[in-house]
């Protein structure tokens, strides 16, 4: 139970730190490139989590996944609203629904 609590703290701490830089990185790279890169990095980290069983490796991968996933939702929302002008409410509703499911 303690390890689970520490893992969640590491994940959300990384999310907070990553959100400080996510917008700047997305502006520099472009929205689509940022989303593709963060999704690919997250996929690789999850695959690596399956191959390593040590607790320190899990904490490291959990922290790294939090950093990688920190800006996905916000940047996807901004990117979708720019790509589909005039559909802001629908876009937000769909992204919130998909986030709730996933």
């Amino acid at each position: 139970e303690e390890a689970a609590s520490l893992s969640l703290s590491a994940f959300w701490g990384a999310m907070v730190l990553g959100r400080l830089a996510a917008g700047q990185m997305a502006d520099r790279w472009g929205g689509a490139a940022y989303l593709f890169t963060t999704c690919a990095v997250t996929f690789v980290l999850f695959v690596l989590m399956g191959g390593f069983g040590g607790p320190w490796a899990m904490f490291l991968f959990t922290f790294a996944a939090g950093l990688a996933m920190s800006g996905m939702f916000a940047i996807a929302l901004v990117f979708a609203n720019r790509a589909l002008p005039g559909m802001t409410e629908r876009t937000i509703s769909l992204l919130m629904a998909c986030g709730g499911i996933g």
Side-chain angles (χ1 to χ4, degrees):
E1 293 178 13
E2 296 86 12
S5 177
L6 184 59
S7 294
L8 283 174
S9 296
F11 178 79
W12 286 107
M15 289 285 276
V16 169
L17 292 175
R19 285 179 182 167
L20 294 172
Q24 295 171 350
M25 289 180 0
D27 283 341
R28 187 176 305 140
W29 298 351
Y34 176 83
L35 289 172
F36 179 77
T37 303
T38 56
C39 288
V41 168
T42 302
F43 174 76
V44 169
L45 288 168
F46 285 157
V47 169
L48 290 173
M49 280 183 192
F52 291 90
W56 287 108
M58 286 300 138
F59 287 126
L60 178 68
F61 290 137
T62 301
F63 187 82
L67 283 175
M69 296 172 67
S70 62
M72 280 183 183
F73 182 79
I75 301 306
L77 188 61
V78 170
F79 181 70
N81 284 330
R82 286 182 184 166
L84 303 167
M87 297 186 64
T88 301
E89 288 141 11
R90 183 174 176 94
T91 304
I92 291 172
S93 296
L94 286 171
L95 281 174
M96 291 291 287
C98 290
I101 292 170

